[in-house]
Amino acid sequence: MIGFTGAALLRGDHERDDPAAFAAALADPAARLLVLHNLEPPVADGRLALLPMDPVRGDALWLGELDGAPLFVVGAGDASQPAMRSPALMAILADLPADEVALYGIARSLLDWHGRHGFCARCGSRSEVTRGGWARTCSHCEAQHFPRTDPVVIMAVEYDDRVLLGRQPSWPPGRYSTLAGFVEVGESIEEAVAREVWEEAGVRVRGVRYVASQPWPFPSQLMIGCIATAADPTLTIDGEELEDAIWVDRAGVRAALAGEADAPFVAPPAYAIAHSLLRAWLGDADG
Ligand SMILES: [Zn+2]
């Protein structure tokens, strides 16, 4: 299972525009409420803690239906100081069931977007929550704004049975991972993969293949995992985004994913799609 996927939530897009359906969901005695304090997950007994719904919460966002009952989310605390993706937060998520981690990711991204988008991007007037929480509408010009998802390509680049891994200066000692970067306006996934690998490592690629994707709620990326083939293994590292890049053979990747002490690098954690991508590359290479 790829991290932050597999939520058991029925999103109910048809009901979001229906005020009667929203009112009925609010009043449903089985409805439950997720409260994110500073965007952190509330946890009790190793599970995401859901409270009975408070129908007077006019600021609740309607996530959808979970286990046959409406589920809402509200924020608490200081929305301008959200919890960052810290080792402590990731340790909390590591102890939750995978479907609840995914549910938390949806709630966090949605709540965080509302917290940072209170004004219309077209005319600057204050906007209001609409569609049960899945849009904002300008109070002046009536423009609609929707929660954003920012596409990021992340790619395992291979050459002669080895994979290209890079290292950013801020990462923990020894950590290397697949290259990644935001898709720019007017680019296809294949073009973004080729551009990022060229910019960061000076390598031309061909044969970009899609593998899998992952929502990443810090704050709202969609990681698009690909495998591509390098035309030439010569590296020219940009020195800003990457401080180092290396080619690693299959034995080295296997050792790193297994957490072996003498592995050539420290692998990305299991919840990151880079980890899944390296496993997919091993599978591809093994045929
Ligand atoms: Zn406006």
Side-chain angles (χ1 to χ4, degrees), residues 149-167:
T149 292
D150 298 313
V152 173
V153 286
I154 180 165
M155 45 276 173
V157 177
E158 60 183 358
Y159 185 88
D160 192 22
D161 235 11
R162 294 177 296 161
V163 70
L164 175 61
L165 301 176
R167 173 176 167 73

Side-chain angles (χ1 to χ4, degrees), residues 120 122-125 138-143 145:
C120 177
R122 189 160 89 180
C123 78
S125 300
C138 178
S139 56
H140 177 68
C141 77
E142 299 185 351
H145 304 280

Side-chain angles (χ1 to χ4, degrees), residues 71-116:
L71 178 64
F72 295 85
V73 62
V74 294
D78 185 353
S80 68
Q81 299 287 330
M84 302 304 289
R85 181 170 65 87
S86 64
L89 173 59
M90 301 316 289
I92 290 171
L93 296 181
D95 289 335
L96 285 177
D99 61 329
E100 296 192 355
V101 173
L103 182 64
Y104 165 69
I106 297 167
R108 176 183 172 117
S109 283
L110 188 63
L111 201 54
D112 189 24
W113 177 77
H114 281 286
R116 294 181 292 110

Side-chain angles (χ1 to χ4, degrees), residues 229-270:
T229 303
D232 183 290
T234 306
L235 300 177
T236 305
I237 299 164
D238 79 348
E240 290 185 13
E241 291 195 58
L242 294 185
E243 66 174 14
D244 191 23
I246 52 176
W247 291 99
V248 183
D249 63 16
R250 283 191 285 162
V253 171
R254 275 203 197 88
L257 292 179
E260 293 175 10
D262 60 350
F265 68 101
V266 177

Side-chain angles (χ1 to χ4, degrees), residues 14 18 32 39 47 75 82-83 94 98-99 114 122 132 139 144 150 158 169 173 195 224 231 250 269 271 280-281:
H14 293 303
D18 182 349
R32 285 170 297 169
L39 296 181
R47 302 288 304 272
D99 61 329
H114 281 286
R122 189 160 89 180
S139 56
Q144 275 199 311
D150 298 313
E158 60 183 358
R195 176 183 53 76
I224 303 166
R250 283 191 285 162
Y271 57 75
W281 176 72

